[in-house]
């Protein structure tokens, strides 16, 4: 249901911003790349749990850098015809992409938990009989 609502809102927003479609798509693209980069960096598997805070800070910095560079590139290319549409699109898709990545992470963790449960719950029966050969 939430996925359908997100798709519906995205389509309606795209139609309503038809005159400023480049601004809409620039906001979507920059938000998707920035959040994707931050997600990729924040959830890296590391052997040292002490690095978790450092990875979150690096992810936040990378998101900020990608956003600033993306906005500078789009402004320099003169693709933004409406800063209002761009900022609303960036805000909306930042929330949507973050939701999507966390749902993906939740799904991956549930699949891993099921896989570990299956592996660790299989055991041999307690009464195992060994086949022995007897000489007659």
């Amino acid at each position: 249901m939430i996925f359908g609502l997100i798709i519906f809102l995205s389509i309606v927003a795209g139609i309503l911003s038809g005159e400023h479609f480049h601004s809409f798509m620039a906001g979507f693209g920059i938000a998707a790349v920035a959040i994707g980069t931050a997600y990729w960096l924040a959830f890296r598997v590391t052997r040292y749990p002490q690095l978790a805070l450092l990875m979150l800070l690096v992810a936040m910095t990378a998101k900020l850098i990608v956003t600033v560079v993306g906005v500078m590139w789009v402004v320099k290319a003169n693709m933004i015809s409406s800063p209002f549409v761009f900022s609303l699109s960036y805000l909306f898709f930042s929330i949507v992409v973050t939701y999507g990545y966390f749902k993906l992470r939740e799904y991956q963790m549930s699949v891993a938990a099921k896989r570990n449960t299956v592996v660790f719950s299989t055991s041999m029966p307690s009464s195992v009989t060994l086949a022995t050969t007897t000489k007659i």
Side-chain angles (χ1 to χ4, degrees):
M1 169 141 160
I2 292 178
F3 183 72
L5 180 65
I6 289 171
I7 295 296
F8 175 73
L9 288 176
S10 299
I11 291 172
V12 168
I15 291 170
L16 291 177
S17 64
E19 223 174 273
H20 308 288
F21 191 69
H22 289 95
S23 298
F24 180 76
M25 290 308 293
F28 166 69
I30 292 171
V33 171
I35 300 295
T37 303
Y39 175 84
W40 185 78
L41 285 169
F43 291 114
R44 301 302 313 155
V45 176
T46 179
R47 299 168 93 189
Y48 307 103
Q50 297 86 357
L51 292 178
L53 180 62
L54 176 66
M55 295 305 286
L56 287 173
L57 291 174
V58 169
M60 181 186 69
T61 305
K63 179 183 180 278
L64 183 65
I65 289 170
V66 167
T67 301
V68 168
V69 169
V71 169
M72 287 173 45
W73 176 65
V74 168
V75 167
K76 186 176 180 181
N78 202 16
M79 290 176 60
I80 296 179
S81 57
S82 172
F84 183 69
V85 170
F86 172 79
S87 61
L88 284 179
S89 172
Y90 181 84
L91 174 66
F92 174 73
F93 285 113
S94 292
I95 294 167
V96 167
V97 172
T98 301
Y99 173 78
Y101 275 121
F102 276 101
K103 279 298 192 183
L104 173 67
R105 179 77 173 168
E106 182 181 325
Y107 172 74
Q108 290 171 341
M109 291 177 70
S110 71
V111 168
K114 286 179 187 176
R115 183 177 43 220
N116 288 341
T117 303
V118 170
V119 169
F120 292 126
S121 69
T122 57
S123 61
M124 294 185 65
S126 59
S127 61
V128 176
T129 57
L130 297 174
T132 58
T133 59
T134 56
K135 291 184 181 180
I136 302 181

